[in-house]
Amino acid sequence: MTEQRTLAYWQQLATTIEIEGRAFIGGSYVDARSQETFDCISPIDSRLLSKVASCDSADADNAVANAREAFNSGSWSQMAPANRKRILIRFADLILEHQHELAILETLDMGKPISDSLTVDISGAANSIRWNGEAIDKVYDELAPTAPDQIGMVTREPVGVVAAIVPWNFPLLMACWKLGPALATGNSVVLKPSEKSPLTALRIAQLALDAGIPSGVLNVVPGFGHTIGKALALHNEVDSLVFTGSTRTAKQLMIYAGESNMKRVWLEAGGKSPNIVFADAPDLRAAASAAASAICFNQGEVCTAGSRLLVEESIREEFILMVAEEMSHWKPGNPLDPDTNVGAVVDQTQLNTVLEYIESGKEAGAELRMGGDQLHKDSGGFYVAPTIFNGVSNEMRIAREEIFGPVLSCIGFDSAEQAIQIANDTDYGLAAAVWTADLSKAHRTAKALRAGSVWVNQYDGGDMTAPFGGFKQSGNGRDKSLHAFDKYTELKATWIAI
Ligand code: NAD
């Protein structure tokens, strides 16, 4: 259970919280070997939160060596699954015991509303650790259906040292979607948080140790992609690289793996998800409300954001008015206020990117129906008004490229075939939604959509029980569910002559 507090409470906590900016390697906090740091700035008001260790290849070597030593020692990798389960559940409990501290760090660091940090990010992070911990002593290996003079054992073994590189939009949640299955299956991990949001990952490293995860099993190395990220991706002692972030970086990581030890590479990348609304949707108001949430939640900085709204022509005008009304309830404001539902975008660079896309939409001839401006400039923070473009063609940049801001592109269609053609006409394939009361049309459309998650008469449903990931350039492999264990284990066939 999460407990809501007042703005004054969070403001007070924001000024008193102790922030750890050092790397966590081999069970303790350490400076980068180079002693270099970078400034961790809050997007809420541009205040300096902390100096953070700027790790590079020397720290990658140190962290990977610690991870390897821990793995080889068997202290975690050879522990009985039931014991790993107990420790992971304790780790999840500790995350929840520190949920206010972690939520304020998340909000200060990346600008999302405090209520979301608490109820989505921190609770979801704890849930991923708990779910995977609870699962690990309930999965069995296999015996092959062999001839009677053979035993063919099919077993799963931890892959070894896992490097996890994660983005800034759900910093702790994305980290824990990796940590849950990676740790449950017995691996050692070197986690690299985004340089834009390193603070919660650094904090939970100590909580993992406190829970009983042995030293060296979880290491956290903050720093930039082109330094520590690249060093991990090229490292010959990293067995598996798991990533969430942009498609551009994902492609680069495949090259690094090919240039080094052919480490396994698992990628959760970008999206440009279509949200298809047919005229026979069972509840147009619910669809409009979901369409607004799908682009405004987390400031639109969501890989599955419903950024392309495909609406059947016969209801397009009526429906866009409804969406605009729903979006008027999404108001950028102080992220520390528990009533705020849209916070600050992560930094000046991201703000500029979003504003440039808005300009490109106008220049391409799309009709700006709502928003389009920077807000609250006096705060020193980075706020964008929820924005709607109508009359968008699927060829425009605002329909093809991931904006990662609260900018909705509305596209009309005349038939189910045309909707599916437009929906699939994208490099991405992360998610899609369809709204219709016609069961057959819902099934037909869902089946035809080339996406890893499809929602019918809802947007963004799901929990730990189903896999999450992308088709096409949205990535490979899956987070969540027992399928995630595929990323963190090698299959071994052992043949015994009897
Ligand atoms: P990004 O690719 O810029 O960075 C992600 C991580 O990769 C960061 O830690 C960064 O430091 C690191 N990195 C960057 N360049 C690197 C390099 N050359 N070598 C090694 N590491 C490098 O992405 P971002 O801007 O942090 O995150 C936003 C992106 O993440 C969006 O595209 C979004 O769709 C995607 N995302 C995907 C999912 C999913 O599950 N599919 C979930 C959340 C976010």
Side-chain angles (χ1 to χ4, degrees):
M1 276 295 286
T2 48
E3 200 185 335
Q4 289 291 354
R5 300 292 181 105
T6 61
L7 170 61
Y9 170 81
W10 293 113
Q11 281 174 327
Q12 167 74 11
L13 196 55
T15 55
T16 54
I17 186 108
E18 281 181 28
I19 298 180
E20 179 57 73
R22 290 173 297 171
F24 191 87
I25 299 176
S28 48
Y29 285 105
V30 292
D31 292 323
R33 288 239 161 122
S34 65
Q35 306 294 319
E36 293 289 321
T37 60
F38 63 92
D39 289 347
C40 181
I41 304 287
S42 177
I44 297 176
D45 50 13
S46 294
R47 83 176 82 156
L48 175 67
L49 294 170
S50 175
K51 297 273 184 193
V52 172
S54 187
C55 293
D56 62 21
S57 59
D59 307 291
D61 289 345
N62 186 16
V64 172
N66 272 275
R68 175 67 61 196
E69 192 182 331
F71 184 77
N72 288 347
S73 78
S75 60
W76 182 253
S77 54
Q78 297 295 321
M79 186 184 276
N83 291 338
R84 284 205 297 267
K85 173 184 75 175
R86 271 191 282 280
I87 290 172
L88 288 172
I89 289 173
R90 174 81 190 123
F91 182 24
D93 288 343
L94 284 178
I95 290 173
L96 290 184
E97 280 172 31
H98 292 80
Q99 60 181 312
H100 286 190
E101 178 191 349
L102 290 165
I104 196 80
L105 286 176
E106 207 75 304
T107 287
L108 289 172
D109 207 1
M110 72 71 68
K112 69 173 64 198
I114 190 70
S115 301
D116 291 345
S117 288
L118 204 55
T119 60
V120 178
D121 294 76
I122 309 307
S123 60
N127 189 40
S128 175
I129 301 292
R130 186 185 309 280
W131 193 93
N132 284 284
E134 284 175 343
I136 198 61
D137 67 345
K138 297 164 192 74
V139 287
Y140 290 75
D141 287 328
E142 299 164 21
L143 280 184
T146 56
D149 60 343
Q150 296 273 356
I151 293 179
M153 294 173 16
V154 183
T155 53
R156 282 188 182 272
E157 299 184 356
V159 69
V161 174
V162 173
I165 299 180
V166 294
W168 48 261
N169 60 337
F170 293 93
L172 192 63
L173 187 60
M174 292 303 102
C176 287
W177 281 9
K178 314 293 187 205
L179 291 181
L183 293 172
T185 48
N187 297 282
S188 293
V189 180
V190 180
L191 170 64
K192 191 205 99 55
S194 169
E195 59 276 20
K196 300 182 185 191
S197 60
L199 300 181
T200 46
L202 290 170
R203 180 65 184 97
I204 63 151
Q206 180 67 49
L207 298 181
L209 193 74
D210 295 347
I213 295 176
S215 308
V217 171
L218 173 58
N219 307 275
V220 183
V221 284
F224 294 91
H226 62 276
T227 54
I228 181 70
K230 180 177 177 183
L232 290 171
L234 282 169
H235 208 290
N236 285 321
E237 283 294 313
V238 168
D239 299 299
S240 183
L241 179 60
V242 293
F243 171 77
T244 299
S246 64
T247 294
R248 193 165 61 104
T249 305
K251 290 182 179 183
Q252 187 60 48
L253 297 183
M254 296 175 99
I255 294 171
Y256 291 150
E259 286 173 350
S260 54
N261 62 341
M262 223 174 96
K263 56 183 67 64
R264 284 88 185 94
V265 184
W266 300 100
L267 306 165
E268 299 282 348
K272 192 73 191 175
S273 300
N275 183 13
I276 305 171
V277 182
F278 286 105
D280 64 357
D283 182 345
L284 280 180
R285 177 56 64 181
S289 169
S293 165
I295 196 64
C296 293
F297 170 63
N298 212 47
Q299 305 70 245
E301 297 162 325
V302 182
C303 52
T304 54
S307 50
R308 287 188 298 150
L309 180 62
L310 276 51
V311 188
E312 192 156 4
E313 284 295 359
S314 60
I315 57 159
R316 178 145 70 115
E317 186 54 35
E318 169 199 1
F319 189 69
I320 283 170
L321 288 173
M322 287 166 94
V323 174
E325 192 188 327
E326 292 294 331
M327 270 174 71
S328 70
H329 303 307
W330 291 83
K331 293 195 171 83
N334 181 356
L336 294 177
D337 185 335
D339 291 330
T340 293
N341 56 7
V342 183
V345 299
V346 73
D347 63 6
Q348 180 75 56
T349 308
Q350 186 61 21
L351 175 71
N352 293 347
T353 301
V354 176
L355 295 174
E356 279 163 22
Y357 272 113
I358 291 171
E359 283 312 306
S360 106
K362 289 188 210 163
E363 282 164 19
E367 180 200 355
L368 181 66
R369 286 291 284 261
M370 180 176 177
D373 309 313
Q374 182 182 352
L375 300 176
H376 310 317
K377 284 187 193 171
D378 296 348
S379 67
F382 314 117
Y383 300 85
V384 186
T387 297
I388 301 178
F389 280 106
N390 190 19
V392 175
S393 112
N394 204 42
E395 306 314 313
M396 293 179 188
R397 282 182 66 212
I398 56 169
R400 300 208 80 78
E401 297 174 19
E402 192 177 38
I403 300 175
F404 236 50
V407 181
L408 184 62
S409 297
C410 299
I411 303 170
F413 68 83
D414 290 308
S415 66
E417 291 68 30
Q418 192 189 11
I420 291 164
Q421 185 274 323
I422 296 169
N424 286 338
D425 179 16
T426 168
D427 291 339
Y428 298 109
L430 192 57
V434 51
W435 298 77
T436 174
D438 178 335
L439 189 60
S440 300
K441 186 158 67 177
H443 274 290
R444 276 197 308 272
T445 309
K447 201 167 172 187
L449 289 167
R450 303 273 300 147
S453 296
V454 177
W455 298 294
V456 177
N457 296 331
Q458 61 172 328
Y459 203 93
D460 224 4
D463 59 23
M464 286 301 297
T465 59
F468 177 86
F471 284 25
K472 304 198 284 186
Q473 293 186 39
S474 291
N476 65 330
R478 294 294 181 266
D479 281 336
K480 308 207 286 186
S481 84
L482 296 181
H483 293 282
F485 289 170
D486 293 347
K487 292 181 179 178
Y488 302 98
T489 53
E490 293 282 15
L491 274 184
K492 181 181 278 180
T494 306
W495 287 95
I496 301 171
I498 53 173

